[in-house]
């Protein structure tokens, strides 16, 4: 028996962001975080150069920023938004049988194909 699924239109508000939009936002976040790392390097060099008070406190904080920020930047740049459903989620749940014949949809319930006409 052929399993039929109810036709549900896809709303634009439910659509996920495109791959290009996701990549662009991840690239911007990466560049911003690397900019902060460069600022940490410059601040560390300036602090050492002027022999600032409490140098023993500031240098470890700047060094920590220089070490942690690149690691976080790479993790966040490679991160994608979570999928809505895991592909194996339905394998562990009992399936229910749909006893309705496949052609029992009325004409209004059937999905309609939109054919693009070339000008």
């Amino acid at each position: 028996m052929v399993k039929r699924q109810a036709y549900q239109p896809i709303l634009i508000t439910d659509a996920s962001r495109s791959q290009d939009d996701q990549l662009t936002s991840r690239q911007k976040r990466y560049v911003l975080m690397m900019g902060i790392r460069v600022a940490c390097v410059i601040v560390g060099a300036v602090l050492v150069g002027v022999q600032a008070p409490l140098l023993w406190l500031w240098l470890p904080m700047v060094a920590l920023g220089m070490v942690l920020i690149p690691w976080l930047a790479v993790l966040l740049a490679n991160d994608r938004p979570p999928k809505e459903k895991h592909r194996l989620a339905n394998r562990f749940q009992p399936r229910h049988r749909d006893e309705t014949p496949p052609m029992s949809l009325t004409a209004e319930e059937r999905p309609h194909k939109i054919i693009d006409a070339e000008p």
Side-chain angles (χ1 to χ4, degrees):
M1 178 179 282
V2 177
K3 182 180 178 183
R4 85 169 164 86
Q5 294 181 356
Y7 172 71
Q8 294 182 353
I10 298 173
L11 302 175
I12 191 67
T13 55
D14 294 339
S16 61
R17 293 175 52 199
S18 71
Q19 295 284 342
D20 289 336
D21 288 342
Q22 292 176 19
L23 178 64
T24 302
S25 68
R26 290 195 320 255
Q27 287 173 338
K28 288 178 183 177
R29 188 181 328 140
Y30 181 81
V31 169
L32 175 70
M33 292 182 81
M34 284 297 151
I36 294 170
R37 179 184 187 218
V38 168
C40 284
V41 171
I42 292 171
V43 167
V46 168
L47 287 174
V48 169
V50 297
Q51 295 182 358
L54 298 176
L55 191 60
W56 60 271
L57 176 66
W58 294 111
L59 279 183
M61 289 177 31
V62 171
L64 190 63
M66 291 186 312
V67 171
L68 286 181
I69 288 175
W71 178 69
L72 288 173
V74 169
L75 284 179
L76 294 175
N78 289 326
D79 189 26
R80 289 190 172 174
K83 294 181 180 180
E84 291 183 20
K85 291 184 180 179
H86 192 272
R87 62 187 174 101
L88 297 177
N90 292 332
R91 298 225 176 163
F92 301 110
Q93 296 174 356
R95 295 183 183 184
H96 64 282
R97 294 189 133 210
D98 189 7
E99 300 299 329
T100 318
M103 295 306 291
S104 66
L105 296 175
T106 64
E108 293 81 27
E109 293 175 331
R110 290 188 192 135
H112 300 287
K113 291 184 180 177
I114 299 173
I115 301 173
D116 293 331
E118 293 185 25

